[in-house]
Amino acid sequence: MTILQAFDHGAGEMPENLVVLADGTICVTLLAAGTVWLSGAGQERVVPDGVDALVVGLAADADQRLYAAVRSTTDGVAGIWRREAPQRWARFAAAESRAGLNGITFAEDGTLFAADSVNGEILRCLPGDDTLRLWLDGEHLTPTAADDPVASTGVNGLKVWDGALWATNTARGTVLRITLDDREVTQVHTGIPADDLTFDTAGTLYLAVHPRDLVLRITAQGEATVVATEADGLDGPTAIAVTADGLLVTSMGMLGTRHTPNLTHLPLDVATPALPVPHLPR
């Protein structure tokens, strides 16, 4: 595993989510810096400088436009922000200041789903709309306590795969499969306090397990393997992406004492086709 990019924890550059665009550009949200880092282009400010905000989840639509989930107690800031042009972001869909937005993802029909980790809700924004509305709630999405960074994080990572929305609940250590048509929830895995998740085209599941500093691979047959650990440079892995030549993983560097936020690359055989080979920073 190779560390591709180190970030400055003291400057709030704590990687939270990750997207690879079709042209190979790697995009990373930097939680407390209020920015998105793009390989080859550096950082772009999402919210106005000086605003109380955390830039959390990240997703791209079918036209490769970037969307970032923003938490804030400042009026007019909380919600989903969209990249309108290089160095220019605007709020696309508003959210209440109570919302603890986290992972976001798109379904094939253009529906945007957003996790609210604090309130245990999944919100959605339908194609052609710019309003976040409640799609699903319930105990399976809620956190378990308010005074711990892990236990206070309920539904977290989201991905659409094989006709369903898949979600992690970090506090409860579960991976959930939620059918898109009738919202039926199935608990698929337990005992895994994962942050983010993704799939390759064979249905192999990859999980960034933040509090345990590891990346876990689970095949469609249920065989689980640890493929990366703290020894590989992980320091609180928060997001994961499958590309044509392996995995990209972000580490936040928030828990523990090392505070070494980074972006790492893990060469790994994955089912293809997948995303293109990313433009790695030099």
Side-chain angles (χ1 to χ4, degrees):
M1 201 162 188
T2 303
I3 295 178
L4 302 176
Q5 181 75 21
F7 296 100
D8 185 351
H9 181 273
E13 296 176 1
M14 295 177 280
E16 214 293 328
N17 216 279
L18 167 68
V19 163
V20 182
L21 298 179
D23 68 357
T25 302
I26 309 168
C27 311
V28 177
T29 53
L30 299 178
L31 183 74
T35 61
V36 169
W37 175 88
L38 295 90
S39 60
Q43 295 185 41
E44 293 190 2
R45 176 152 295 281
V46 176
V47 296
D49 195 15
V51 167
D52 168 39
L54 297 175
V55 181
V56 197
L58 191 66
D61 65 16
D63 295 321
Q64 298 298 289
R65 289 177 298 185
L66 287 171
Y67 296 72
V70 175
R71 299 186 190 185
S72 180
T73 57
T74 302
D75 290 343
V77 176
I80 307 298
W81 287 63
R82 184 169 68 189
R83 187 179 190 240
E84 304 294 346
Q87 300 292 342
R88 183 163 64 86
W89 293 71
R91 192 166 69 157
F92 166 75
E96 299 178 22
S97 60
R98 65 182 280 275
L101 296 181
N102 208 320
I104 59 176
T105 196
F106 280 95
E108 289 185 5
D109 68 354
T111 297
L112 174 66
F113 290 98
D116 181 340
S117 296
V118 172
N119 298 293
E121 299 173 348
I122 297 177
L123 311 174
R124 74 172 179 183
C125 184
L126 292 171
D129 196 2
D130 59 1
T131 302
L132 286 169
R133 306 179 195 276
L134 179 65
W135 184 69
L136 186 68
D137 58 8
E139 186 177 359
H140 40 265
L141 303 177
T142 61
T144 56
D147 56 355
D148 177 88
V150 176
S152 63
T153 303
V155 59
N156 193 341
L158 299 178
K159 288 293 186 300
V160 172
W161 169 256
D162 192 27
L165 179 66
W166 291 69
T168 60
N169 184 319
T170 307
R172 297 183 183 275
T174 55
V175 178
L176 308 172
R177 183 183 188 275
I178 308 164
T179 55
L180 293 174
D181 51 359
D182 58 9
R183 307 176 210 187
E184 180 181 348
V185 179
T186 302
Q187 186 170 284
V188 181
H189 300 290
T190 61
I192 308 171
D195 190 321
D196 193 28
L197 76 166
T198 195
F199 292 88
D200 67 18
T201 54
T204 301
L205 172 64
Y206 299 88
L207 296 157
V209 188
H210 189 159
R212 295 182 184 171
D213 288 335
L214 59 84
V215 170
L216 187 65
R217 175 174 58 193
I218 305 178
T219 67
Q221 293 73 40
E223 179 182 352
T225 307
V226 173
V227 296
T229 68
E230 177 183 339
D232 298 296
L234 299 182
D235 185 6
T238 53
I240 189 166
V242 174
T243 70
D245 64 347
L247 301 178
L248 293 173
V249 184
T250 53
S251 288
M252 181 179 285
M254 181 181 72
L255 302 178
T257 59
R258 290 183 292 144
H259 302 315
T260 53
N262 61 63
L263 168 70
T264 56
H265 176 241
L266 175 63
L268 195 70
D269 289 334
V270 297
T272 54
L275 290 171
V277 176
H279 298 320
L280 304 181
R282 300 184 185 279

